[in-house]
Amino acid sequence: MAILKKLYADEEDAKNRYEFLIYLARKTEKSSKTETNLYAKYKKAFWVGLAVTGIQQLTGINTVSMYSPIIFGRQSNSDTLSAVMAAMQVLFAVITPLFVDKFGRRTIFIWGAVICSVAHLLSFIGYTESAESTGRNWVLNIGILIFAGVFNSTYGVLTYDLLMTN
């Protein structure tokens, strides 16, 4: 208070400044307590969001998106397959939000993981056998298309929905 009295000629003004500084100090102290309580309050949502975004990257969508045109390029109808894949991705991304309230995010995420795993298995079978038979190329293509569509209807769209609503 003595320093404020030296800075301000009017004692009333110095007293008002002093009370304001005390008010700010108390407000800052309360807000720091609130910030530590925020983590406790949203701890589960934080870890669920972190896990879902991690799983989203571990599904392999970047690899599928990168190499599917090359795999489709082995065939004469590669442009058609790429167009079908793009159309499926857009279609599934638009349709999924309509079903979130009906089925719930958790159910959609679980079924999406199961179907993506089956699609990866189909792609694996088709890729390992594709050199021997042209019929196996269709197994590979169907696996890629199913994965791309299901990913965009589950982890592609709902991850952002989950992170924005929690």
Side-chain angles (χ1 to χ4, degrees), residues 68-69 72 77-91 145 148:
S68 61
F72 293 156
N77 56 354
S78 65
D79 292 338
T80 305
L81 289 170
S82 294
V84 167
M85 183 173 166
M88 281 180 57
Q89 289 175 327
V90 170
L91 179 70
L145 292 173

Side-chain angles (χ1 to χ4, degrees), residues 32-156:
S32 66
K33 289 179 183 176
T34 305
E35 289 172 8
T36 57
N37 291 337
L38 281 178
Y39 177 72
K41 183 177 179 182
Y42 295 108
K43 184 178 182 179
K44 183 179 178 184
F46 171 77
W47 287 109
V48 167
L50 190 65
V52 169
T53 54
I55 290 170
Q56 180 188 30
Q57 291 303 308
L58 292 174
T59 60
I61 188 63
N62 295 335
T63 306
V64 171
S65 296
M66 177 85 167
Y67 291 107
S68 61
I70 296 168
I71 293 170
F72 293 156
R74 294 181 181 175
Q75 302 164 15
S76 61
N77 56 354
S78 65
D79 292 338
T80 305
L81 289 170
S82 294
V84 167
M85 183 173 166
M88 281 180 57
Q89 289 175 327
V90 170
L91 179 70
F92 280 106
V94 170
I95 289 175
T96 300
L98 302 174
F99 295 107
V100 172
D101 291 333
K102 184 175 183 178
F103 297 112
R105 286 188 215 110
R106 180 182 292 180
T107 305
I108 293 173
F109 275 128
I110 291 170
W111 279 106
V114 169
I115 296 170
C116 282
S117 298
V118 170
H120 273 313
L121 184 62
L122 281 173
S123 299
F124 173 73
I125 292 168
Y127 188 76
T128 56
E129 302 290 329
S130 66
E132 299 171 13
S133 169
T134 56
R136 298 288 184 165
N137 281 340
W138 286 105
V139 174
L140 172 63
N141 295 340
I142 289 171
I144 291 172
L145 292 173
I146 289 172
F147 173 76
V150 171
F151 176 85
N152 281 306
S153 66
T154 56
Y155 290 96

